């Protein structure tokens, strides 16, 4: 089988990871959540007092970049993909609202992006992967075989994020989530380095009124166009 790279980019909390994970499972491909990698760097910065209320200590963070090792593993007991920061499972710690509040600033730093983009390219090289993020189809794999740009109405995204965090027992109010999503989208779209934007050859999926099954049906059509024999 020829390796296929599927890039899924889009706004915060529009269900990219649920969609990307479902595709990966359906096709038996690896799934890489690049947002988790930026979140892990942010957690590292927070735990090492490199970011606080007064902002980021950029120079100190850059000096510590080589100390940050990010990897993924599949937990066979839960069936979950877990993010590891220097060998420690941080899957829940990186999803808190505190990390969400800082992650867009950290991910706007050029050197952080350079490190993570190189790692993402290495993880995907020569393999069949579904990778989700903000710049996968534009920067990480500009020659990806299938590019999907996801979006959903703001209210829908806020509610989804709220339900997701509630399901994990992570406290956050609807108002906090609204502020965070609006702010992150703004920073992600307007930053100088690799901003969030739709690749010219991406197909848009607005999943505001779609179930996961309907999204999978939509994807099957895209896949058949790309690989008529599937
Ligand atoms: O997908 P997510 O919400 O977990 O991503 C968290 C943040 O990481 C997001 O606000 C922007 C940043 N990010 C990025 O800059 N580039 C990516 N490829 C993925 C995420």
């Amino acid at each position: 089988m020829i390796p296929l790279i599927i890039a899924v980019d889009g706004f915060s909390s529009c269900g990219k990871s649920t969609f990307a994970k479902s595709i990966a499972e359906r096709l038996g491909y690896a799934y890489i959540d690049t947002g988790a990698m930026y979140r892990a760097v942010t957690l590292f910065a927070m735990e090492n007092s490199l970011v606080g209320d007064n902002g980021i200590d950029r120079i100190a963070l850059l000096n510590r970049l080589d100390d940050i090792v990010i990897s993924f593993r599949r937990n066979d007991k839960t069936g979950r993909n877990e993010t590891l920061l220097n060998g420690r499972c941080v899957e829940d710690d990186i999803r808190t609202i505190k990390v969400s509040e800082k992650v867009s600033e950290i991910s706007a730093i050029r050197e952080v992006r350079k490190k993570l983009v190189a790692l993402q390219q290495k993880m995907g090289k020569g393999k069949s992967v579904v990778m989700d993020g903000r710049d996968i189809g534009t920067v990480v794999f500009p020659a990806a075989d299938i590019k999907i740009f996801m979006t959903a109405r703001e209210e829908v995204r806020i509610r989804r994020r709220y339900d997701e965090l509630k399901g994990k027992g992570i406290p956050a109010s609807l108002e906090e989530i609204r502020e965070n999503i609006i702010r992150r989208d703004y920073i992600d779209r307007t930053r100088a380095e690799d901003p969030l934007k739709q690749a010219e050859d991406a197909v848009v999926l607005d999943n505001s009124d779609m179930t996961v099954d309907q999204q999978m049906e939509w994807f099957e059509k895209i896949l058949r166009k790309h690989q008529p024999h599937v």
Side-chain angles (χ1 to χ4, degrees), residues 11-230:
F11 294 98
S12 295
S13 299
C14 58
K16 292 188 300 293
S17 60
T18 306
F19 176 75
K21 249 184 256 172
S22 307
I23 300 178
E25 256 165 45
R26 141 89 177 82
L27 298 173
Y29 287 8
Y31 162 64
I32 298 170
D33 172 357
T34 64
M37 299 166 83
Y38 289 95
R39 287 173 179 274
V41 173
T42 306
L43 182 68
F44 178 92
M46 289 167 70
E47 289 182 341
N48 289 277
S49 310
L50 307 175
V51 59
D53 293 339
N54 299 328
I56 302 165
D57 187 343
R58 197 169 174 276
I59 302 294
L61 175 61
L62 298 191
N63 283 333
R64 300 287 309 272
L65 274 189
D66 288 344
D67 299 339
I68 305 176
V69 178
I70 297 167
S71 55
F72 293 103
R73 75 165 177 218
R74 187 178 165 82
N75 182 327
D76 287 330
K77 273 193 205 140
T78 60
R80 274 203 320 177
N81 265 324
E82 293 176 340
T83 311
L84 306 185
L85 169 61
N86 293 333
R88 168 171 66 107
C89 175
V90 291
E91 192 51 38
D92 289 332
D93 296 349
I94 58 172
R95 310 285 167 194
T96 62
I97 195 93
K98 281 203 158 50
V99 169
S100 298
E101 273 165 7
K102 300 282 178 217
V103 66
S104 281
E105 273 100 336
I106 296 277
S107 56
I109 300 174
R110 178 192 308 192
E111 292 81 355
V112 169
R113 301 206 69 80
K114 212 171 147 213
K115 176 185 167 97
L116 295 189
V117 167
L119 184 57
Q120 289 152 13
Q121 288 170 334
K122 200 168 146 207
M123 286 174 162
K125 196 168 177 225
K127 295 195 197 101
S128 288
V129 289
V130 185
M131 204 175 267
D132 81 22
R134 304 291 187 288
D135 59 343
I136 311 306
T138 50
V139 176
V140 181
F141 287 112
D145 302 276
I146 298 178
K147 297 182 188 178
I148 295 162
F149 190 83
M150 283 181 71
T151 185
R153 288 192 301 275
E154 202 171 276
E155 283 314 311
V156 175
R157 296 194 281 132
I158 292 165
R159 173 54 65 177
R160 282 183 185 157
R161 187 83 182 153
Y162 179 78
D163 291 342
E164 182 197 339
L165 292 180
K166 204 167 158 205
K168 287 182 177 165
I170 300 172
S173 70
L174 272 174
E175 223 18 70
E176 265 178 309
I177 293 171
R178 179 190 311 278
E179 254 172 54
N180 180 255
I181 286 182
I182 293 172
R183 195 167 149 270
R184 273 203 294 142
D185 281 347
Y186 177 76
I187 299 177
D188 295 346
R189 274 182 12 227
T190 55
R191 68 181 176 221
E193 305 294 328
D194 313 339
L196 165 66
K197 64 170 185 238
Q198 186 188 326
E200 274 176 22
D201 49 350
V203 231
V204 177
L205 170 62
D206 180 336
N207 69 1
S208 302
D209 302 306
M210 288 168 92
T211 63
V212 176
D213 283 346
Q214 287 169 332
Q215 293 172 58
M216 285 302 102
E217 279 168 28
W218 176 91
F219 174 72
E220 299 283 336
K221 285 188 202 140
I222 301 286
L223 187 65
R224 271 197 296 274
K225 256 192 227 162
H226 191 269
Q227 293 183 315
H229 54 282
V230 175

